[in-house]
Amino acid sequence: MIAKERIWEIREYDEHKAGCLAAELGISPLVTGILLERGLNDTQLMRQFLYGSPVPFHDPYLLKDMERTVARIEKALQENEQITVYGDYDVDGITASSLLYIYLQGRGAKVATYIPQRKSEGYGLNDEALKNIADGGTTLVVTVDCGISGLHEVQNAPAFLDIIITDHHTVPEILPPAYAIVNAKQADDRYPFKDLSGVGIAFKLCQALELSRQQKNRGELPDWEELTELAALGTVADIVPLVDENREIVRRGLTAMKNTKLVGLRALMDVSGCTGKDISSESIGFGLAPRLNAVGRLEHAQRAVELLVTKDADKAAEIAAELNQENALRQEISRHILAEAEAQLAQEKHIDTAIVLANSGWHQGVIGIVASRLVEKYHLPTILLSISDDMAKGSCRSIPALNLYEAIAAESDILTQFGGHHQAAGLTLPTAKVEEFRRRFKEYVRTHLRPEDYQPRQVVDCVIKDKGEITIQDLEELQLLEPCGCSNPPPVFAFRHALLHNSRAIGREQKHLQFTLDKGDFSYRSIMWNNAELLYFMYDNMIADVAFQPKINVWRDEATVQLHAVSIKQELSLGDFRNFAVDKWQLLTALGRVHNHLQVFVQNKLQAEALIDKQLTAYVKFIEYRDLKNMADRSNSSDAVVLLDFPSISLLDLVKKLRHNKINKLYLLYKQQEGSLLLNELPINCPNREAMAVAYKRVMEEIAKQPLHLTQVLECYADCVSENAVKIMAELGFITLKDDIIEKNIIKRCQLEDSPLYVRLQQQRQHLETIYKENLRLSQHDLLRG
């Protein structure tokens, strides 16, 4: 399926003010302009954002229950109690567990970590784990990145076991009866920044413990900032906003990674191909985090914690290699589940509102990744459920317009467990309730979202004007905006009316699109990841608007500017499938499932309606080409149009009318061979003198024996006799045609031009021949250049 076209939201800023601020700061106006449109409007705010604040961290004791938490942990340290750090199996939980473990171990604590096994135990606290931990001698459990939804588990925990919850997830109405709860999202919490990750909260706990150890005044800045590389790793992986304290954590952590003393992290960087000198938030997101996540998804995340806390280089190398192999296996499983999910979607009547799919064979640890890919492709809230006997566990991903946590909470009466964020969540429910949940969830989405919410957006920070030059120096200055991520995305630029050529698919699976972009005097190699299907819309020397992220590409020690395109826009996007081996009916069915209003032009409406999947009739409207002139002009429409059969009218005129009606997407699904066939059949259907001579001979030979039915003649001589030819002979008196019975008549000398039908057909044949030949010749460029 072709991805939905994005609606551009072009940001604007005061260019004069950007220039003045740039002069004061000594940087490019490109940077200050982006900061202006992101809400930073003076040099002080910009300087702090770009270079860091003199007071980078908030007082950790502003977090509710932090004082009580620190006192309890200090008591455990003094009395040599067994402490267990109970984490989650994602990167945030893995890094939070590792960070707190390393800190407490450095303080001489008797400490262990516990990560639940995803498949057998699921997310968060569980009764059996807490019992086993207590039986092993633990008297204090400190959760990281989980626990806030563990009301039942904390209530049922052994009475002597103190549980401190540190978490960052949405706070439920009823809190667990824990010894203490540290979560900035609590209603009466005074902490000024609410968007810390789970490892961010663990980092604040370590700061508070260090402040207590040093016996500093509460108002003093906590100076503990060790292990920021672990805090940065979890913060980026959990996709929390990279602003305020998170930005400072990640900035310092990326710097620390370049010379990290953590041998496990160094080994992980080695197998990921991430060198310390160019480590970035992108390196974490695409290199380090997936490998840590993989082991938690497929096996046991405890192994990842072992990697991050070990001091043994050989052990670190061994575990890092295991994680790398697990990641490769995870990728293969993801591809398999994605294919099965797409096969299920192909059976859906219509793909709209939301996607909820279930299968007993899907790996619980991987379905979240596949759900994210389906959201990217269809831009719909997506839930994938893995069924195991009488229970189903799901991973949920959303689009920006829907608060996923609230949507799931609305169905809590049929859920066994759920939790998460605005954009991502997890849930468990009885298998018997899956269909009810699917129906209710889709209905909730339908009633809470507007039609425009289903259209993806693309923020464009700046449209580059003038000559279209982007320099290496520009990109080096843009790196001041790092670390980029959630709420501080990499800036996106755009060219208007760029010239595109030399497009092709690249990559091992031919999934990516590469093309050359020319703007003014400058030419750029451009790549668009996972969008090779756009080749159907590409042609040499096409003019389009392109949104992109500029990157520095180094090849053989030469640095050049490369564009990573994210969106390509034309007034009318024309997908040309005429010369590709694609079944047009299968493609029409796929398009019908994702479009709410699809207009399809055909030669014969009744024949087409008989062939289309009956489930799609509410979304697909067939129109015969001859009825185009009767179509009302529409000034505001974004429907897609399909040309299913070779057009018997001028393609240029048709495209002109579609443009006038504001149609923005056109699919040419017919094959060029159809036009060639029509052109070859034209002398038969609109017979000229030579064709009439052949038809006359065949008909006279047959009816000389006996009268024949018209259908018999047409079936026997379809290659040379048409109904029009028989009617012309009847008009000239060569035969009689009554009730479709053909008989020989008295032949009189006459001219073909004595037949009014023959005269009309000659004009029609010449007209259609001109149209067919022109339509066969016209390329995408010819159709769109006007």
Side-chain angles (χ1 to χ4, degrees):
M1 191 209 80
I2 308 299
K4 294 180 181 177
E5 192 164 301
R6 301 185 184 188
I7 297 174
W8 286 15
E9 296 178 358
I10 299 176
R11 303 284 175 83
E12 295 184 356
Y13 55 85
D14 186 329
E15 293 185 15
H16 175 73
K17 185 173 183 179
C20 294
L21 291 168
E24 286 187 58
L25 292 168
I27 58 176
S28 169
L30 210 55
V31 177
T32 54
I34 291 168
L35 293 178
L36 271 177
E37 52 103 336
R38 294 186 181 182
L40 305 177
N41 52 21
D42 61 45
T43 54
Q44 181 180 353
L45 290 173
M46 289 184 177
R47 187 174 283 110
Q48 288 182 8
F49 184 87
L50 295 173
Y51 306 110
S53 168
V55 184
F57 298 120
H58 304 300
D59 181 357
Y61 282 97
L62 292 175
L63 284 158
K64 182 183 178 183
D65 275 4
M66 183 61 85
E67 186 170 349
R68 181 173 171 81
T69 295
V70 168
R72 180 65 184 87
I73 293 175
E74 290 289 356
K75 176 178 179 293
L77 289 170
Q78 291 169 11
E79 298 180 5
N80 199 32
E81 294 182 59
Q82 174 69 50
I83 303 172
T84 295
V85 178
Y86 191 115
D88 185 23
Y89 38 64
D90 66 2
V91 180
D92 193 15
I94 290 167
T95 53
S97 300
S98 302
L99 185 148
L100 188 55
Y101 172 86
I102 292 172
Y103 175 82
L104 292 176
Q105 190 184 56
R107 291 281 306 272
K110 186 179 177 183
V111 60
T113 59
Y114 186 89
I115 307 289
Q117 212 278 345
R118 181 189 290 261
K119 187 173 182 179
S120 61
E121 296 179 85
Y123 169 78
L125 298 170
N126 70 82
D127 293 341
E128 185 176 354
L130 290 176
K131 180 180 182 302
N132 290 338
I133 288 170
D135 289 346
T138 291
T139 53
L140 175 61
V141 167
V142 182
T143 76
V144 289
D145 192 37
C146 65
I148 197 66
S149 59
L151 173 65
H152 167 84
E153 291 76 13
V154 175
Q155 286 177 334
N156 290 351
F160 67 85
L161 186 66
D162 286 339
I163 300 176
I164 294 173
I165 293 173
T166 76
D167 202 349
H168 72 120
H169 292 96
T170 302
V171 176
E173 291 184 12
I174 303 176
L175 293 173
Y179 183 89
I181 297 177
V182 180
N183 186 327
K185 291 186 174 72
Q186 294 181 85
D188 54 349
D189 192 283
R190 297 182 299 123
Y191 200 71
F193 184 57
K194 304 298 183 182
D195 291 318
L196 288 165
S197 62
V199 72
I201 295 289
F203 180 77
K204 299 307 297 184
L205 173 56
C206 292
Q207 281 189 324
L209 285 165
E210 187 65 9
L211 187 61
S212 171
R213 184 183 72 82
Q214 296 178 12
Q215 297 183 338
K216 289 191 173 184
N217 295 323
R218 294 286 167 83
E220 292 187 40
L221 172 69
D223 58 5
W224 186 86
E225 54 178 78
E226 302 300 317
L227 302 178
T228 49
E229 56 263 70
L230 292 183
L233 182 49
T235 297
V236 171
D238 211 50
I239 319 179
V240 290
L242 291 191
V243 296
D244 200 279
E245 208 164 13
N246 286 340
R247 178 172 173 80
E248 196 62 38
I249 287 172
V250 175
R251 185 210 309 281
R252 294 176 182 233
L254 291 175
T255 300
M257 280 187 195
K258 295 177 182 179
N259 298 292
T260 183
K261 296 177 182 177
L262 297 172
V263 295
L265 180 57
R266 173 60 62 188
L268 183 66
M269 292 166 63
D270 289 341
V271 299
S272 304
C274 301
T275 59
K277 65 178 182 180
D278 59 0
I279 195 79
S280 65
S281 54
E282 190 174 30
S283 306
I284 292 175
F286 292 98
L288 305 180
R291 286 164 172 81
L292 288 175
N293 253 329
V295 68
R297 294 181 184 280
L298 302 184
E299 294 297 334
H300 201 307
Q302 189 68 42
R303 195 67 168 152
V305 175
E306 291 176 25
L307 170 68
L308 295 180
V309 304
T310 187
K311 298 177 182 178
D312 185 328
D314 291 337
K315 181 179 180 181
E318 177 188 342
I319 299 176
E322 289 177 14
L323 267 57
N324 201 41
Q325 291 175 354
E326 291 290 329
N327 188 52
L329 177 59
R330 187 270 307 164
Q331 291 172 330
E332 181 59 34
I333 293 173
S334 296
R335 283 191 288 268
H336 181 70
I337 294 176
L338 180 60
E340 291 190 339
E342 291 280 19
Q344 282 195 31
L345 281 174
Q347 304 304 313
E348 296 263 330
K349 175 182 178 182
H350 198 246
I351 304 172
D352 58 9
T353 310
I355 294 172
V356 181
L357 304 174
N359 192 297
S360 59
W362 288 345
H363 197 294
Q364 295 174 12
V366 179
I367 54 178
I369 296 172
V370 179
S372 295
R373 291 181 181 172
L374 292 174
V375 171
E376 291 174 9
K377 182 174 182 178
Y378 294 96
H379 199 71
L380 295 172
T382 299
I383 297 176
L384 296 190
L385 296 159
S386 176
I387 297 174
S388 178
D389 298 325
D390 59 345
M391 298 301 291
K393 292 185 178 181
S395 287
C396 322
R397 301 294 184 268
S398 188
I399 58 178
L402 180 74
N403 186 315
L404 190 57
Y405 182 84
E406 293 178 0
I408 293 172
E411 322 306 333
S412 60
D413 60 305
I414 59 173
L415 301 179
T416 305
Q417 188 180 29
F418 72 96
H421 306 287
H422 182 105
Q423 297 275 253
L427 57 83
T428 305
L429 77 163
T431 301
K433 295 291 185 179
V434 167
E435 287 306 315
E436 181 182 354
F437 173 79
R438 186 200 312 268
R439 175 183 56 78
R440 287 173 50 174
F441 179 77
K442 294 182 78 168
E443 183 59 29
Y444 179 96
V445 175
R446 181 178 291 108
T447 57
H448 284 76
L449 295 187
R450 304 162 299 171
E452 56 267 32
D453 292 331
Y454 297 106
Q455 197 72 21
R457 261 62 177 173
Q458 177 60 62
V459 172
V460 175
D461 295 277
C462 178
V463 175
I464 297 179
K465 303 172 184 176
D466 302 325
K467 297 180 180 180
E469 182 180 17
I470 305 173
T471 67
I472 296 292
Q473 182 180 349
D474 290 332
L475 300 194
E476 288 172 345
E477 294 211 13
L478 285 172
Q479 289 177 353
L480 289 170
L481 297 172
E482 292 285 352
C484 291
C486 180
S487 295
N488 180 45
V492 173
F493 300 90
F495 283 134
R496 295 285 198 190
H497 309 302
L499 183 70
L500 278 52
H501 55 96
N502 295 336
S503 56
R504 64 189 183 96
I506 61 170
R508 185 177 63 182
E509 299 178 6
Q510 299 287 286
K511 295 193 306 182
H512 312 303
L513 177 67
Q514 178 180 291
F515 58 92
T516 301
L517 182 151
D518 296 340
K519 180 63 178 176
D521 298 328
F522 302 93
S523 184
Y524 303 95
R525 182 172 178 264
S526 307
I527 291 177
M528 197 169 186
W529 304 114
N530 298 308
N531 273 280
E533 66 269 15
L534 288 182
L535 273 175
Y536 296 116
F537 293 83
M538 306 285 286
Y539 54 93
D540 270 350
N541 299 319
M542 67 182 282
I543 304 295
D545 299 341
V546 180
F548 59 87
Q549 294 175 359
K551 303 286 185 179
I552 297 176
N553 184 55
V554 179
W555 173 251
R556 293 181 178 175
D557 297 327
E558 181 181 354
T560 58
V561 176
Q562 185 179 86
L563 308 184
H564 289 189
V566 295
S567 180
I568 299 175
K569 287 178 67 72
Q570 290 181 285
E571 179 187 349
L572 174 63
S573 296
L574 193 157
D576 189 353
F577 297 81
R578 292 177 293 180
N579 294 308
F580 292 91
V582 180
D583 184 280
K584 67 179 185 179
W585 285 99
Q586 289 181 2
L587 187 51
L588 175 64
T589 300
L591 292 173
R593 285 197 174 97
V594 296
H595 284 282
N596 291 327
H597 306 287
L598 193 64
Q599 297 182 60
V600 182
F601 282 91
V602 293
Q603 296 289 1
N604 189 306
K605 179 179 177 180
L606 292 178
Q607 287 181 1
E609 288 176 340
L611 293 172
I612 191 69
D613 188 332
K614 295 298 182 283
Q615 291 184 327
L616 297 177
T617 53
Y619 312 101
V620 175
K621 179 182 180 182
F622 289 107
I623 303 169
E624 293 187 355
Y625 285 111
R626 62 186 176 184
D627 293 333
L628 176 66
K629 58 181 178 295
N630 300 323
M631 286 180 60
D633 288 343
R634 294 173 302 159
S635 59
N636 186 19
S637 172
S638 59
D639 295 346
V641 168
V642 171
L643 305 191
L644 187 66
D645 295 335
F646 191 89
S648 55
I649 60 175
S650 168
L651 256 179
L652 284 174
D653 291 343
L654 175 56
V655 170
K656 182 178 179 181
K657 188 170 185 68
L658 294 177
R659 275 180 158 172
H660 177 73
N661 283 357
K662 306 299 182 184
I663 300 296
N664 62 18
K665 187 158 285 189
L666 172 63
Y667 298 91
L668 306 183
L669 300 195
Y670 63 84
K671 303 304 177 187
Q672 290 292 63
Q673 296 93 312
E674 295 177 34
S676 299
L677 184 61
L678 287 173
L679 199 58
N680 293 334
E681 292 175 347
L682 198 53
I684 301 172
N685 296 323
C686 299
N688 56 17
R689 189 172 299 276
E690 292 76 14
M692 280 302 304
V694 174
Y696 175 82
K697 180 180 179 181
R698 293 287 184 270
V699 171
M700 288 306 179
E701 286 175 349
E702 290 299 321
I703 64 175
K705 305 170 188 174
Q706 61 180 355
L708 292 176
H709 196 278
L710 175 62
T711 55
Q712 289 180 282
V713 174
L714 297 181
E715 287 175 1
C716 291
Y717 297 104
D719 61 334
C720 60
V721 179
S722 67
E723 185 174 351
N724 282 334
V726 175
K727 288 181 177 179
I728 290 170
M729 285 188 273
E731 282 190 350
L732 295 174
F734 298 158
I735 61 173
T736 62
L737 182 63
K738 185 177 181 180
D739 297 328
D740 287 342
I741 301 297
I742 305 173
E743 293 185 276
K744 188 175 181 180
N745 199 13
I746 300 173
I747 300 175
K748 299 178 182 179
R749 188 175 182 84
C750 60
Q751 301 292 325
L752 280 172
E753 286 76 14
D754 293 337
S755 166
L757 176 58
Y758 176 80
V759 174
R760 289 199 307 273
L761 289 176
Q762 299 319 295
Q763 296 172 343
Q764 182 178 336
R765 181 177 56 78
Q766 293 173 6
H767 175 69
L768 287 175
E769 185 176 2
T770 300
I771 287 177
Y772 290 161
K773 286 182 177 179
E774 181 184 73
N775 289 352
L776 280 167
R777 176 184 58 79
L778 290 170
S779 66
Q780 285 170 288
H781 180 268
D782 297 325
L783 292 169
L784 295 176
R785 65 181 175 180

